[in-house]
Amino acid sequence: MTKFYSIGRLAFAAVAFPALAHAEAHFDPATRTFRLDGGQTSYVFGVNSAGALQSLYWGPQLAASDTLKAVTPPDLSGFDPSSSITPQEYPGWGGPLYTEPALKLAYPDGVRDVVLTFRSGRADGNSITVEMSDIRQPLNVSLLYTIDPSTGIVGRSAIIRNETKATVRIDQAFSAAWSLPPQNDYHLHYLTGRWAAEWTLQDRALTQGATVIESRRGSTGMQANPWFAIDRAGISTEENGPVWFGALAWSGSWRISVDRDPLGDVRVAGGFNPFDFAYQLKPGESLETPVFYGGYSNQGMGGASRLLHRFEITNILPQKPEPKLRPVLYNSWEATEFAVDEKGQMALAEKAARIGVERFVMDDGWFGARNSDHAGLGDWTVNPAKFPNGLKPLIDKVHSLGMEFGLWVEPEMVNPDSELYRAHPDWVMNFPGRPRSEGRNQLVLNLARPDVRDYILRAMDDLLSKNDIQFLKWDYNRNWSEPGWPEVDSQSQPEIYVTYVKNLYGLMTELRRRHPKLEIEDCSGGAGRVDLGILSLTDQVWASDNTDPFDRLSIQDGFTHAYAPGVMMDWVTDSPNWVNNRSTSLNYRFLSAMQGGLGIGANLNKWSDAEFTDATRLVAAYKHVRKTVQQGDLYRLIRPEDPSGRFATFYVSPDKRQAVLFAFLHSSTKLDQQPAIQVRGLDPQKAYRVRPVESASGAESQTQSGAYWMGHGVEVPMTGDFQAKGLVFEGQ
Ligand code: GLA
């Protein structure tokens, strides 16, 4: 017997599905219902009687016997027609539709109406493909869905195919629209920032109206990141309650619109930013959107980020599913800035090797006429005054010290004062006759042009073929302006927003293919281009130019809401810090930086013997816990806004045999008590020996059960200003 249920306008009928595997995609042709199950999550949608693809369920996993069926809602009024109040998976802007469309386009005869209806669908393994078509034209859309068996994260994208006989202008192409069950208490979380202050977590009640987060800058941007999380006020906490979250895998201009309509329905839609966008889709051509990933956790924001971290490690990063651990690196930037030369870098390399650094990276200043940020970008040849014998002597030296060699590049940019720009002034994006606005004295090369793409590929390939380089720090130090592409017809010029980014991905893919051992760090003046798209081609991320270890606590806290600690590079630099003149101990700086991939960016020429000794001990301590930090489960125990002035993170290895606690105190006030810190995620039955992170001897250790450390907590007394402690938990 089939039972019918109705919750508001979401009506569904029970039809039995076959028993579920760990991850499964299923299509029931009888009810025209699709269902994805993976991790702890189910995602269900179906075809309604109007042929629209209707969202039915996204949340905790349903029983195998539970099923849903799309029921077309009736018009609510003349102002709220059925098509507009149906939560649609991929609405075209056509017919009566007042919500955010996923697709908006114009046919050459001026018709700007696209109504997508279901044609066919198939499920295969953990994927679903749905074919949709416009009601009047062979304008076809394939909707692709995949669910990850372990995390239940669903990846969604669309391929728009023009099978008409004429060119169609696409004005808006999103990857997906997500619907949440109507609730009154949703809170939206997203990340904003600016240079040297990235990764600020925003939190706002999802009241009626739209919240748009986006970049119009040509790249991902640090002003907003293409990630969101929605939880329920009063129900969801850091460790409990429902959280729906998503992240867009696109490194160009993007938009995510989170809309709560007057009926209470919540929709999240995102993809290419429609601002200044147009894509001429010729007959026979197709346009593929980026992938928009979405997931659900019932373990609060902490659970949501742990799912995302696991997903990034196993599904996104270039070395997925088991990326190598991040080596401890040294970077020359804060020590020498542009004043790099063979002798100076060799001296730094020797000192870096002494403390256990595994990868030596020479930053900006080694090429062309690059003595400041005014000249040289684009000329990827070694500066003969600084390196009279090329890079080989330095690289050999670094290798002889047992370290890998890495180099800074900024391939997509050019200084007007460069050989490249003098030879090819037409290679930058520009509108003829208009100013070419500079940012950091540089212009953006138009990577959408095949000749520019080929030049950059040649220049980088040459560098990597002629020199034994294991690592590139790939920088990108401004956003776009005047994004003209005068070599193509005026209607096609806005395609730069898509073609540029696809060529960037192609370039990195080809470089990695030609140089399989190469690793790349994603940098954009800090974290100006971090997203799941670039992360599939880069192994690690420069999280911020702000290296102050206290500021970094909140920066890193924001970062880890969306991205794994294993890709987040944090450096120990000099004190007082250049950002704010704050002085902190070497120990504090290390413990702050050890919460991700550890780097050293200090001027080692100024270090005392005692600093070398301490740093050597702390680098060794880091290596002992780095697998847990980089690939374990992160629990944010005390968040930066906590009134106690304390901050604490806890990392647990997936097998729960090791954990590490990082605790910080801003300043002690009066004689305030500091309660024990209750850790999370341990095996309650297992005994854990707890000792300071930097003392391997165990002299100060204490052994108790996981239940004790989680229930009673661990005492971490700290007094004074900018104090830090690290504790390792070793399962016995
Ligand atoms: C950017 C990066 C820095 C450094 C400089 C070099 O600002 O974020 O780490 O590489 O460029 O010019």
Side-chain angles (χ1 to χ4, degrees), residues 211-272:
T211 303
V212 172
I213 52 171
E214 64 174 359
S215 162
R216 299 178 173 191
R217 296 164 178 264
S219 68
T220 322
M222 40 180 90
Q223 290 65 26
N225 189 268
W227 167 88
F228 73 90
I230 296 174
D231 65 0
R232 295 187 59 190
I235 296 176
S236 310
T237 63
E238 176 64 20
E239 290 299 335
N240 286 297
V243 178
W244 292 261
F245 58 92
L248 192 63
W250 185 242
S251 312
S253 289
W254 57 273
R255 178 180 288 177
I256 295 175
S257 153
V258 184
D259 205 340
R260 179 159 176 237
D261 71 19
L263 304 173
D265 288 343
V266 172
R267 295 187 187 111
V268 182
F272 297 128

Side-chain angles (χ1 to χ4, degrees), residues 195 198 331 333-334 337-338 363-365 370 373 408 410 440 473 475-477 521 523-527 542 544-545 571:
W195 177 69
E198 301 91 329
N331 180 291
W333 175 245
E334 289 200 19
E337 294 201 349
F338 299 97
D363 209 277
D364 201 349
R370 187 75 169 167
D373 60 15
W408 181 94
E410 193 176 357
R440 207 195 188 199
K473 174 177 172 184
D475 213 336
Y476 185 81
N477 274 307
E521 177 170 283
C523 178
S524 175
W542 181 221
S544 178
D545 271 359
W571 300 349

Side-chain angles (χ1 to χ4, degrees), residues 122 587 685:
R122 59 182 187 278
N587 189 58
Q685 312 298 336

Side-chain angles (χ1 to χ4, degrees), residues 366-577:
W366 59 269
F367 53 91
R370 187 75 169 167
N371 297 314
S372 72
D373 60 15
H374 286 264
L377 274 183
D379 301 338
W380 300 109
T381 48
V382 180
N383 180 304
K386 296 173 178 177
F387 296 92
N389 310 303
L391 294 177
K392 190 167 185 331
L394 174 62
I395 295 178
D396 287 349
K397 173 82 178 176
V398 166
H399 288 163
S400 76
L401 290 164
M403 298 184 292
E404 294 180 359
F405 182 77
L407 198 60
W408 181 94
V409 290
E410 193 176 357
E412 301 150 79
M413 299 285 173
V414 65
N415 285 120
D417 184 1
S418 67
E419 297 306 324
L420 185 72
Y421 189 70
R422 282 185 277 275
H424 300 285
D426 54 323
W427 278 11
V428 298
M429 46 183 72
N430 71 91
F431 291 122
R434 310 288 307 176
R436 299 177 176 198
S437 303
E438 294 175 19
R440 207 195 188 199
N441 314 301
Q442 62 198 52
L443 299 168
V444 188
L445 290 169
N446 182 0
L447 188 49
R449 284 175 59 137
D451 49 359
V452 172
R453 178 198 60 200
D454 294 348
Y455 165 78
I456 298 177
L457 177 61
R458 235 182 3 259
M460 292 301 115
D461 184 44
D462 222 44
L463 200 57
L464 295 167
S465 305
K466 295 193 175 135
N467 301 285
D468 197 359
I469 296 170
Q470 287 75 50
F471 171 84
L472 290 179
K473 174 177 172 184
W474 188 300
D475 213 336
Y476 185 81
N477 274 307
R478 61 161 295 181
N479 294 128
W480 295 8
S481 60
E482 301 105 7
W485 183 3
E487 294 73 26
V488 300
D489 62 79
S490 59
Q491 297 95 316
S492 302
Q493 286 199 32
E495 288 168 29
I496 193 170
Y497 288 104
V498 176
T499 312
Y500 182 111
V501 180
K502 290 199 169 167
N503 281 352
L504 171 66
Y505 291 165
L507 189 58
M508 285 186 169
T509 306
E510 181 58 15
L511 276 178
R512 294 193 78 116
R513 191 189 67 75
R514 292 188 194 177
H515 305 277
K517 293 197 176 135
L518 177 71
E519 289 197 354
I520 303 177
E521 177 170 283
D522 164 41
C523 178
S524 175
R529 190 164 60 184
V530 185
D531 56 80
L532 296 185
I534 203 93
L535 270 178
S536 68
L537 291 159
T538 55
D539 305 273
Q540 58 190 54
V541 171
W542 181 221
S544 178
D545 271 359
N546 185 338
T547 52
D548 172 73
F550 173 72
D551 283 4
R552 270 296 185 125
L553 298 181
S554 53
I555 287 175
Q556 295 170 188
D557 175 84
F559 184 101
T560 64
H561 276 77
Y563 304 104
V567 300
M568 175 176 75
M569 295 309 294
D570 312 323
W571 300 349
V572 173
T573 58
D574 287 321
S575 175
N577 190 276

Side-chain angles (χ1 to χ4, degrees), residues 274-308:
F275 178 82
D276 194 37
F277 181 88
Y279 198 97
Q280 302 291 329
L281 200 63
K282 299 194 184 66
E285 282 186 352
S286 59
L287 174 65
E288 185 163 0
T289 71
V291 182
F292 198 169
Y293 294 97
Y296 171 81
S297 170
N298 60 7
Q299 286 167 27
M301 295 292 280
S305 58
R306 284 189 290 279
L307 287 180
L308 256 177

